[in-house]
Amino acid sequence: MAETSERGYGYGCQSAIDLVAAAFPSVRAYVFLAGDGASDPRDVRKLVAAYEQGYAFVLGARTGQLSNWPTMRFSHVIANFALALWCGILAGRGSRISRRFA
């Protein structure tokens, strides 16, 4: 657990990264799950497997399943799709960004 004077999920994540990096410099990756229950901890294995395949950045999107949509506002669904598209473009994956983990 890390503490920050700034508000927001991103600041909390960055504070945790800074804390762990200072205490354990050999840590190579970080996994964050939102506390709203929309993320399934069992999916961490899939994220780690993708990271171990050599991807420098792995992002899970909870918008791929309609069952998760009630926990999010419509604006969050659109923002998540846009972020996934942008990350796919930056990674050179183009239209293949919608590939799901089996």
Side-chain angles (χ1 to χ4, degrees), residues 8-93:
Y9 186 72
Y11 284 113
C13 292
Q14 186 61 56
S15 181
I17 289 170
D18 294 343
L19 182 70
V20 171
F24 305 98
S26 63
V27 171
R28 302 176 316 162
Y30 302 87
V31 176
F32 295 96
L33 299 175
D36 62 3
S39 301
D40 188 343
R42 293 176 293 192
D43 289 334
V44 171
R45 290 183 190 146
K46 298 172 190 175
L47 298 171
V48 170
Y51 176 77
E52 289 176 343
Q53 289 176 15
Y55 292 98
F57 182 79
V58 181
L59 176 68
R62 60 186 177 183
T63 55
Q65 296 178 322
L66 292 176
S67 62
N68 288 333
W69 287 24
T71 64
M72 299 183 288
R73 293 186 188 126
F74 184 70
S75 61
H76 293 136
V77 173
I78 297 301
N80 278 329
F81 276 123
L83 180 61
L85 177 63
W86 183 244
C87 288
I89 290 169
L90 291 176
R93 297 182 59 113

Side-chain angles (χ1 to χ4, degrees), residues 46 50 53 55 59 61 93-102:
K46 298 172 190 175
Q53 289 176 15
Y55 292 98
L59 176 68
R93 297 182 59 113
S95 63
R96 295 179 4 163
I97 59 148
S98 62
R99 184 181 75 150
R100 296 184 190 182
F101 293 106

